[in-house]
Amino acid sequence: MRILVDARFTRTDHHDGISRYGAGLIAALAATDDVVMLISDPRQLALLPDVPHVRVSSPLSPAELLIACRINRLRPDVVVCPMQTMGSWGRRYPLVLTLHDLIYYQNPAPPSFLPLPVRVLWRLYHLTYWPQRVLLNRADVVATISETTAGLIEEHRLTRRPVMLVGNAPQPAQRPRDPAVPRTSSLLYMGSFMPYKNVETLVRAMRLLPGHTLHLLSRITPARRAELGSLAATDRVVFHDGVSDAVYEQLLRDSTALVTLSRAEGYGLPIIEAMATGTPVVASDIPIFREVGGSAALYVDPDEPEAVAAAVRSLDDAGTWTETSRAGLERAAAYSWEASAEQLRRVCDRAVAEFGRRRSPVSRGSWSSRRDGRTARVPRRRSP
């Protein structure tokens, strides 16, 4: 199958969640399928696997309205986009769009790196659900990364199209830590500093954890750093303002735990990344974290610094830490890009079938869904 994957959402400096998701799927899928990437900036290639690519316009350009006309000439068997905003007017190919989460309906502040006109449209887009429905219904299949989001898509009736799972996965750990090796008294947070991430509670919890140091790894604005620094009242909160993958991996291998207290989340990839390294996780008790972490994480009320501190202190016991570390390694083993690529192949098969069904009046009404996400041929009744 010739699969065209939209890689234009790849960052040019470092991966974010969407960027890493797309790159991971492309690399795994290219091992068995004929994959071609769409890019909009040659610098994106530094963060993408070495597979054939075609350069087209940016997904933020007005030319996106007609991007399907350009793609039609490439004659793909199916097109996969890791977002839901890809232009589709005039397409002559099966299309898979991806909706990762719905958190921006409750937290509508757009990412700061987007241009001002896009940020304005972002806020308007998330005022109501109907624009989302319009976009998703233009696909043949809608992919999502979690059962939690799939449930929300159904709850809000966001699409008439089939919804199928294509899960996220951690990067392969180079050296999973040995649970028997001593660790430092460091705690790690990897993620943005937007209000719904609830980093404030995490910083306040540090007042109750003498002897522990909190490392905030992501890039942060000076204003936000000053705000969180004033809450810490301790020099045991370290702002890294961005780290490389190598430094992140080393910190994970040395630390007591990864901590995240988000009140809403699309997935929570750092949870699986930590578990794949053998590092315990303390997380807020929300549905998506329960889905991702299973019984291997320690869950806490995200509004209670005392509960966070108690969970961290429980890991000071060597036996508890070792047991939690091993449980995380076992949980993370269920996630891989190879498994996600296999899910995506099933999605592509379904998209081809759905596209053919709608294009051919003769076959209309002759396909039915199966619980495994594939399609089954159903004989049509003859008229008496």
Side-chain angles (χ1 to χ4, degrees), residues 208-345:
L208 308 174
L209 290 168
H212 291 79
T213 300
L214 173 64
H215 295 263
L216 304 176
L217 304 184
S218 302
R219 294 183 178 181
I220 186 170
T221 64
R224 189 73 169 118
R225 177 171 179 163
E227 181 181 356
L228 291 174
S230 67
L231 295 175
T234 175
D235 59 359
R236 291 179 288 103
V237 176
V238 180
F239 293 88
H240 289 258
D241 199 21
V243 295
S244 67
D245 287 347
V247 171
Y248 177 36
E249 183 182 334
Q250 184 60 52
L251 288 169
L252 277 176
R253 283 200 302 270
D254 293 340
S255 298
T256 294
L258 179 130
V259 287
T260 177
L261 302 180
S262 183
R263 293 191 176 92
E265 199 60 67
Y267 189 77
L269 184 57
I271 289 178
I272 289 299
E273 290 173 335
M275 289 181 173
T277 307
T279 299
V281 171
V282 176
S284 51
D285 194 356
I286 59 176
I288 185 59
F289 285 170
R290 286 277 183 177
E291 178 181 343
V292 172
S295 60
L298 303 179
Y299 299 101
V300 298
D301 186 327
D303 295 316
E304 293 188 7
E306 296 80 6
V308 179
V312 171
R313 284 195 296 267
S314 74
L315 294 172
D316 289 339
D317 175 75
T320 300
W321 190 93
T322 299
E323 180 181 350
T324 307
S325 172
R326 288 175 175 157
L329 286 168
E330 182 177 347
R331 177 68 179 178
Y335 296 85
S336 71
W337 287 119
E338 290 74 22
S340 296
E342 180 58 34
Q343 290 177 318
L344 183 54
R345 289 187 197 95

Side-chain angles (χ1 to χ4, degrees), residues 11 37 41 91 107 111 141 154 169 174 184 191 202 253 255 263 273 285 305 310 329 356 358 361 371:
R11 299 288 292 269
M37 303 182 298
D41 188 326
R91 68 180 173 95
N107 306 275
V141 174
E154 181 178 4
Q174 297 297 317
T184 66
L202 182 54
R253 283 200 302 270
S255 298
R263 293 191 176 92
E273 290 173 335
D285 194 356
L329 286 168
R358 283 195 292 273
R371 291 182 64 85

Side-chain angles (χ1 to χ4, degrees), residues 1 7 29 39 120 159 182 187 197 215 259 274 300 365:
M1 185 179 293
L29 199 63
I39 66 166
V120 172
T159 183
L187 305 174
K197 295 287 189 175
H215 295 263
V259 287
V300 298

Side-chain angles (χ1 to χ4, degrees), residues 47-114:
L47 296 178
L48 288 167
D50 185 16
V51 302
H53 64 275
V54 176
R55 185 179 179 184
V56 295
S57 56
S58 166
L60 303 180
S61 163
E64 187 66 15
L65 294 174
L66 300 175
I67 191 64
C69 299
R70 174 73 174 87
I71 295 174
N72 285 337
R73 298 197 291 270
L74 300 176
R75 298 182 177 275
D77 291 325
V78 63
V79 174
V80 175
C81 180
M83 292 285 282
Q84 73 273 39
T85 54
M86 188 180 199
S88 59
W89 183 83
R91 68 180 173 95
R92 298 196 297 271
Y93 48 81
L95 176 63
V96 177
L97 296 179
T98 306
L99 179 61
H100 290 254
D101 54 67
L102 278 69
I103 60 175
Y104 287 110
Y105 286 95
Q106 289 75 42
N107 306 275
S112 59
F113 64 84
L114 293 174

Side-chain angles (χ1 to χ4, degrees), residues 194-216:
M194 298 179 74
Y196 71 87
K197 295 287 189 175
N198 191 30
V199 182
E200 287 84 352
T201 300
L202 182 54
V203 170
R204 290 188 179 101
M206 292 307 298
R207 300 179 181 181
L208 308 174
L209 290 168
H212 291 79
T213 300
L214 173 64
H215 295 263
L216 304 176

